[in-house]
Each structure stands twice: as C-alpha cells, then as structure tokens.
Amino acid sequence: MDIIRGMEAFVALATAGSFVAAADKLGTSTAAVSRQIAALETHLGARLVHRTTRRLSLTEAGSQFLERAEQILADLVEAEAVVGREAANPVGLLRVSAPLSFGISVLGALLPEFRRRFPDLRLDIDLSDRVVDLAHDGVDVAIRIAQAPSPNLIARRIAPIPIVTCASPAYLAAHGHPTHPSDLSAHETLSYSYLSSGDTWTFRTAAGDTAAVRVRSNVHATNGDLLRRLAVEGGGVIVQPGFIVEDDIAAGRLVQVLPDWSLGTFGLYAVYLSRRHLSAKARVFIDYLVEALGKERHPANAPARR
C-alpha cells in the first residue's frame, strides 16, 4: 500500500471527525478514505478507529499513531520544501574529478563564474589523469576525455576535443617532417600513458583512409603538459588535445604535422553514477559546463591553429 496516502487519510479523518469531512478535505470519496484506513490498519496490524453508527473515535493505538503520523507528514512537507529550494539554489559539497591539464587550462577559468552563480555550493576538486572509482572515492561528477565513455556509467557529452599531432621546429629541422603516419615509426615520440590505444596510433583522413602505426616512445607520462614541455624542447612528436598545445602552435613553439591525418575528435564527457538520482548540485555543474564549453569555437574544443 501507499503508506503516505494512508497516513494522510488517517490524519484527515482524525482531525475532521468523519469520513465525509475527511473526504471533502482530501478531495476524494468517502469510500476511498474508508479503503485507505482499512489498508493502513491491515498494514499496521492494529485497529486505529472505533466505528459506530453515531460517532467515530480513535483507539489507544490510533491516538499514539496520530501523533507520529502528523510529525512524519510535517517532516515530509519540510523535506520537499528544502529539496525544492536546493534545486533552485543548490547547497552542500560537490566533489569533482577532472584531468590535470584540463583542470588547470580550462576548468580553472570557468569556476569563478560558476561560484558567482552558486555561492552556496562548496567544491572539492581532484585533478588527476587517473580514472577514479566514483562510488569508492565519493565523486559526484568526473570529467573525462575519451573516444567513448565507460558503458558502466551515465555520461553526458559536453564538447568535442580535437587531438593534434605536433613537434617543435628544431626537432623537425633535425629529423625531417613526417608525411605519412607510417613515418612516425622512425621518429622520437612522446606517449601519453593513459591513451586507450597505447602506443598504436591510428590515424584517419577526412576521406576515410586509415593508417595504424606502432610507435616506440622513449618517454611515457601520465600528464599531457609534461609531454608538451618536452616536445617544445625538441624531444619528439606528441599527440595531445588542442587545448594543451594551441598556445604553443600559435606562438610557433610547436608545429602541427600530418595535417591531413588525425587521431580523430575525442569527446569531453561528464560521467556520474545514476541519471535517476542525479543531485541538483551535480546537475547545475554539468549544465554549466555544457553552456560554457559546448560552443563550437570555445578554445577547449577548437582545433589547434596551424
């Protein structure tokens, strides 16, 4: 049975004094109130109401239950009001996990406006390129850059993230420009440890041609900015998200190579455990990221300038 509806019917009956008055108060029929009271008594295993042809009175169990039921219903109304206020103005602690370079380069610039909009939210942000366990680590929202999100999680795509292949002018002057992905097998390459394909880089053209090359990297790292710095100093060829290398390409410190070939466009995703029970604080954060980063030419999703 619906225990809440049963309690509402019982409280209405006890305060109104009759089934007719209780039905009027609840906007239903006397038969419906009678059924709900009977179901509630069956559920509780106790008679709550003495019924006679002349008057209605509460049993001892009914009098005791009335006080508790009134308090429960009052608490429910208050809880609904609190949740309603939180949906409009979320409060509490929001735990976010995001990749290190993305957090520093992009997310950090977005947080001041988010804090202005939702000043009652407290943020706990973990910047790490490792894939966190949302349930174990108590994370509300994780930001991930991937070709496809984990099928075990709920994901919302925020923006495209172009992946760029580049190297420094000094490196290219010394080792030559690769003209085909297969040339990379003879080049120094710097690899991101968490790249899903490992050291096999699969390139595609706009026409649909594909080429997979197995690179032999002397450096693996779990952070794209470290690899970017090595590449700027002439360490080799890297493949990195556009937001990491865009400024260096614009300044001439890095040069895009294989411009007709691409590892594709990855997606920036917000992932969380449950769509059904997504909290208001997590929802407004995700909506804000979509608003701020979903624009076609935001620096986070714009291709690096050649």
Side-chain angles (χ1 to χ4, degrees):
M1 68 164 295
D2 187 334
I3 186 68
I4 298 299
R5 288 178 65 88
M7 284 194 291
E8 288 174 337
F10 173 68
V11 170
L13 178 64
T15 55
S18 73
F19 283 94
V20 173
D24 289 341
K25 187 175 183 178
L26 295 173
T28 186
S29 67
T30 56
V33 174
S34 181
R35 285 194 301 270
Q36 288 168 343
I37 298 300
L40 181 62
E41 290 177 325
T42 299
H43 176 76
L44 295 174
R47 182 173 291 279
L48 301 176
V49 181
H50 287 303
R51 302 168 179 84
T52 68
T53 56
R54 299 184 59 183
R55 62 189 297 270
L56 179 150
S57 63
L58 300 183
T59 65
E60 182 179 354
S63 296
Q64 294 175 345
F65 185 70
L66 176 62
E67 182 179 351
R68 298 293 182 90
E70 287 177 324
Q71 185 60 55
I72 290 170
L73 293 175
D75 289 343
L76 179 60
V77 170
E78 181 179 354
E80 289 176 335
V82 168
V83 171
R85 289 194 298 271
E86 182 179 339
N89 183 30
V91 297
L93 179 64
L94 177 67
R95 293 185 173 90
V96 177
S97 171
L100 177 59
S101 295
F102 175 83
I104 295 172
S105 300
V106 181
L107 187 59
L110 301 178
L111 290 181
E113 173 61 23
F114 181 77
R115 292 283 298 119
R116 281 191 289 270
R117 294 190 189 185
F118 304 101
D120 294 328
L121 268 181
R122 293 177 292 120
L123 299 177
D124 183 351
I125 300 175
D126 173 37
L127 297 183
S128 172
D129 287 3
R130 70 183 180 91
V131 177
V132 300
D133 183 322
L134 274 67
H136 180 269
D137 295 329
V139 172
D140 297 299
V141 181
I143 307 302
R144 293 182 180 166
I145 297 172
Q147 289 182 309
S150 169
N152 299 323
L153 297 169
I154 308 302
R156 183 174 177 185
R157 194 171 191 268
I158 297 171
I161 299 289
I163 305 299
V164 182
T165 307
C166 53
S168 71
Y171 174 86
L172 295 172
H175 299 274
H177 286 250
T179 59
H180 188 272
S182 60
D183 297 338
L184 293 177
S185 61
H187 279 264
E188 293 286 340
T189 51
L190 308 170
S191 289
Y192 181 59
S193 301
Y194 294 142
L195 188 66
S196 59
S197 62
D199 283 344
T200 298
W201 296 357
T202 301
F203 293 84
R204 295 173 177 81
T205 67
D209 298 323
T210 62
V213 56
R214 178 75 178 175
V215 298
R216 295 179 177 84
S217 298
N218 290 322
V219 177
H220 289 79
T222 59
N223 176 254
D225 268 308
L226 184 149
L227 298 174
R228 175 196 62 80
R229 181 60 185 269
L230 286 173
V232 167
E233 297 300 326
V237 179
I238 57 171
V239 289
Q240 285 296 313
F243 67 83
I244 290 181
V245 298
E246 181 180 45
D247 289 345
D248 289 310
I249 290 177
R253 294 184 293 268
L254 291 175
V255 176
Q256 186 172 359
V257 299
L258 300 173
D260 296 327
W261 295 85
S262 171
L263 266 72
T265 296
F266 282 42
L268 179 70
Y269 294 93
V271 300
Y272 45 97
L273 289 174
S274 173
R275 178 182 290 112
R276 187 173 185 179
H277 301 295
L278 182 64
S279 65
K281 60 187 178 181
R283 188 180 305 279
V284 297
F285 180 71
I286 295 170
D287 287 345
Y288 175 73
L289 292 181
V290 172
E291 174 191 333
L293 299 177
K295 300 170 185 175
E296 183 178 355
R297 293 298 299 179
H298 187 280
N301 60 46
R305 295 172 294 225
R306 299 181 187 176

